[in-house]
């Protein structure tokens, strides 16, 4: 049975209502991320939507190659992969401000980088008030700072992302074997979608792909962090540690479940299909209580080695053009397929 879709009023006034009302029906609990985990849309949404729209809103096309290189590192290829969009922008802007080559280019081209202090202040506000990092909390903070143009532009960018993303995401189907795996999981476990993606995007995708029937709750960025999602469901359902499994593609997913003493199954970037192909056997170990220990440690070790901890621009012998071109085939593939008229240097 598909979860009842939240109304606009619920989403604004009480987005956690389904989390708080969760009822356990199975022996186990499996939390599943979506972007980059269920579907291979992480590269597309970053390269086609998030980055171009941010450069458009803040007039940063003059440093396109630098902006893409840094933003892709944090959002796609590093241990920060999958972090919240506002955190990723903060990391990206701070890194750009520290690079001598970027400072030289923006000085020559009279480009102004956005003020990171304003973004820091908004993120601190959400932490102090236990709010999710998303458009509702940003709008609330904007209302407290109505004369600050930065927040209007930031909200405009984020809203534009939300409007554009479904047009791309809906065209990218789940990995092979996802629905079969969901069916297998649903026999033994309650399934909850946990994500930093906005709720509407998540609900649209799961419903559009016909796989929402396997889950009990869809939790997006408006409901708090992934760790919070897992914490609430685990407590409500009374699951013990070894009855909780998180499936995800980012280090944040691993941290979220380990903060709740649960188990982790990685959908490793670049090996997503292999991981889905191997999931059935791993799930059997999970329900047989033979998952924790050497088996899980081996999976996490392989996963950790796939995520970068040092950016290219901090390595010896770094060449910006060469570094940028390393990912150009990936960018071109998405542009040719979904936006052949789009702007892309080189």
């Amino acid at each position: 049975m598909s979860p009842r879709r939240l109304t606009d009023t619920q989403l604004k006034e009480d987005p956690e209502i389904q989390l708080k009302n969760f009822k356990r029906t199975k022996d186990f609990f499996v939390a599943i991320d979506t972007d980059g985990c269920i579907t291979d849309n992480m590269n597309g949404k970053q390269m086609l939507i998030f980055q171009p729209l941010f450069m458009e809103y803040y007039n940063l096309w003059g440093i396109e190659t630098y902006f893409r290189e840094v933003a892709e590192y944090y959002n796609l290829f590093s241990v920060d992969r999958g972090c919240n969009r506002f955190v990723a922008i903060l990391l990206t802007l701070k890194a750009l401000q520290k690079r001598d080559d970027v400072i030289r280019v923006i000085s020559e081209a009279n480009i102004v980088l956005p003020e990171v202090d304003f973004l820091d202040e908004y993120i601190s506000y959400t932490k102090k008030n236990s709010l999710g990092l998303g458009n509702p909390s940003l709008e609330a903070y904007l209302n407290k700072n109505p004369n600050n143009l930065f927040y209007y532009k930031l909200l405009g960018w984020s809203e534009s992302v939300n409007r554009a993303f479904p047009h791309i995401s809906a065209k990218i189907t789940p990995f092979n074997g996802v629905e079969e795996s969901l069916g297998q999981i649903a026999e033994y476990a309650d399934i909850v979608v946990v994500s930093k993606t906005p709720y509407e995007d998540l609900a649209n995708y799961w419903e559009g792909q016909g796989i929402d029937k396997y889950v009990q709750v869809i939790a997006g960025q408006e409901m708090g962090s992934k760790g919070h999602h897992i914490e609430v469901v685990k407590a409500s359902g009374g699951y013990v540690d070894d009855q909780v499994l998180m499936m995800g593609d980012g280090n944040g997913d691993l941290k979220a479940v380990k903060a709740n003493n649960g188990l982790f199954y990685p959908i490793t970037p670049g090996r997503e299909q292999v991981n889905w192909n191997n999931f059935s056997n791993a799930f059997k170990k999970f329900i047989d209580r033979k998952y924790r220990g050497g088996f899980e440690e081996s999976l996490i070790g392989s996963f950790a080695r796939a995520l970068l901890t040092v950016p290219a621009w901090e390595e010896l012998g770094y060449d910006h053009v060469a570094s940028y071109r390393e990912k150009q085939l990936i960018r071109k593939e998405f542009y040719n397929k979904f936006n052949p008229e789009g702007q892309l240097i080189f």
Side-chain angles (χ1 to χ4, degrees):
M1 181 177 178
S2 303
R4 185 183 296 275
R5 189 164 181 133
L6 293 176
T7 65
D8 290 341
T9 299
Q10 288 174 325
L11 199 54
K12 287 184 178 181
E13 297 180 357
D14 192 11
E16 291 189 41
I17 186 169
Q18 291 182 348
L19 278 178
K20 292 184 292 188
N21 293 337
F22 174 84
K23 302 296 182 184
R24 175 175 178 167
T25 68
K26 302 289 174 59
D27 291 335
F28 299 91
F29 160 38
V30 175
I32 306 180
D33 187 26
T34 299
D35 299 341
C37 178
I38 289 290
T39 173
D40 189 17
N41 64 358
M42 286 286 283
N43 290 337
K45 77 174 184 179
Q46 288 295 328
M47 295 173 177
L48 291 172
I49 299 170
F50 278 58
Q51 297 162 19
L53 284 175
F54 195 86
M55 288 187 284
E56 188 70 25
Y57 267 83
Y58 288 93
N59 298 314
L60 300 179
W61 284 107
I63 56 167
E64 178 187 355
T65 60
Y66 296 96
F67 185 86
R68 286 188 185 273
E69 177 192 39
V70 177
E72 287 169 4
Y73 171 77
Y74 286 113
N75 285 286
L76 300 174
F77 307 116
S78 77
V79 293
D80 294 294
R81 174 186 169 92
C83 65
N84 176 273
R85 65 180 65 177
F86 300 112
V87 173
I89 286 296
L90 181 64
L91 292 170
T92 299
L93 294 177
K94 284 186 174 181
L96 288 169
Q97 288 183 342
K98 293 178 181 178
R99 290 180 55 169
D100 291 339
D101 52 353
V102 174
I103 292 173
R104 183 173 61 254
V105 172
I106 63 176
S107 176
E108 294 172 353
N110 293 317
I111 294 171
V112 178
L113 289 174
E115 178 55 66
V116 296
D117 288 345
F118 294 140
L119 189 50
D120 253 331
E121 290 168 8
Y122 159 62
I123 292 174
S124 296
Y125 164 79
T126 62
K127 290 180 179 178
K128 290 178 182 177
N129 293 277
S130 300
L131 300 172
L133 276 170
N135 290 0
S137 63
L138 178 55
E139 188 170 359
Y141 193 66
L142 186 154
N143 290 334
K144 292 178 177 293
N145 300 272
N147 297 320
N148 192 320
L149 180 61
F150 175 86
Y151 298 118
Y152 287 95
K153 294 176 74 172
L154 188 65
L155 181 60
W157 165 73
S158 188
E159 289 178 337
S160 296
V161 165
N162 290 356
R163 289 181 65 86
F165 180 51
H167 296 289
I168 300 298
S169 181
K171 299 174 184 177
I172 304 175
T173 57
F175 291 106
N176 293 333
V178 164
E179 182 159 9
E180 292 82 357
S181 295
L182 291 174
Q184 179 187 12
I185 297 169
E187 291 184 31
Y188 301 92
D190 295 311
I191 302 175
V192 175
V193 178
V194 300
S195 176
K196 293 181 179 178
T197 296
Y199 171 81
E200 291 288 343
D201 289 348
L202 293 169
N204 287 341
Y205 187 81
W206 282 77
E207 291 173 5
Q209 299 297 328
I211 54 176
D212 58 311
K213 60 188 176 185
Y214 298 104
V215 309
Q216 283 184 259
V217 178
I218 295 175
Q221 64 178 216
E222 300 87 348
M223 295 78 170
S225 69
K226 295 178 182 180
H228 176 68
H229 301 162
I230 296 171
E231 179 184 16
V232 172
V233 174
K234 182 184 178 186
S236 297
Y239 305 97
V240 299
D241 295 347
D242 284 2
Q243 292 174 319
V244 178
L245 178 71
M246 171 76 191
M247 301 177 67
D249 66 300
N251 201 44
D253 301 317
L254 173 60
K255 290 181 178 178
V257 74
K258 288 306 176 183
N260 290 283
N261 299 314
L263 302 167
F264 184 64
Y265 184 78
I267 305 297
T268 305
R271 291 181 55 81
E272 296 94 342
Q273 193 57 63
V274 172
N275 293 148
W276 278 108
N277 293 344
N278 294 336
F279 175 73
S280 181
N281 290 332
F283 185 69
K284 289 176 183 176
K285 287 185 179 293
F286 170 62
I287 61 177
D288 288 340
R289 304 291 185 89
K290 297 178 180 179
Y291 195 92
R292 191 182 295 275
F295 180 75
E296 183 192 31
E297 290 168 4
S298 177
L299 293 176
I300 292 176
S302 297
F303 172 70
R305 289 190 290 273
L307 299 175
L308 302 176
T309 57
V310 178
W313 59 89
E314 292 183 5
E315 295 180 346
L316 291 175
Y318 165 74
D319 179 270
H320 171 62
V321 173
S323 174
Y324 176 80
R325 283 179 169 165
E326 281 184 5
K327 305 297 189 299
Q328 190 69 334
L329 289 178
I330 301 175
R331 301 182 193 103
K332 284 184 176 180
E333 180 180 352
F334 280 99
Y335 266 81
N336 289 339
K337 188 172 183 179
F338 297 110
N339 186 18
E341 303 301 321
Q343 181 171 341
L344 192 65
I345 287 181
F346 299 147

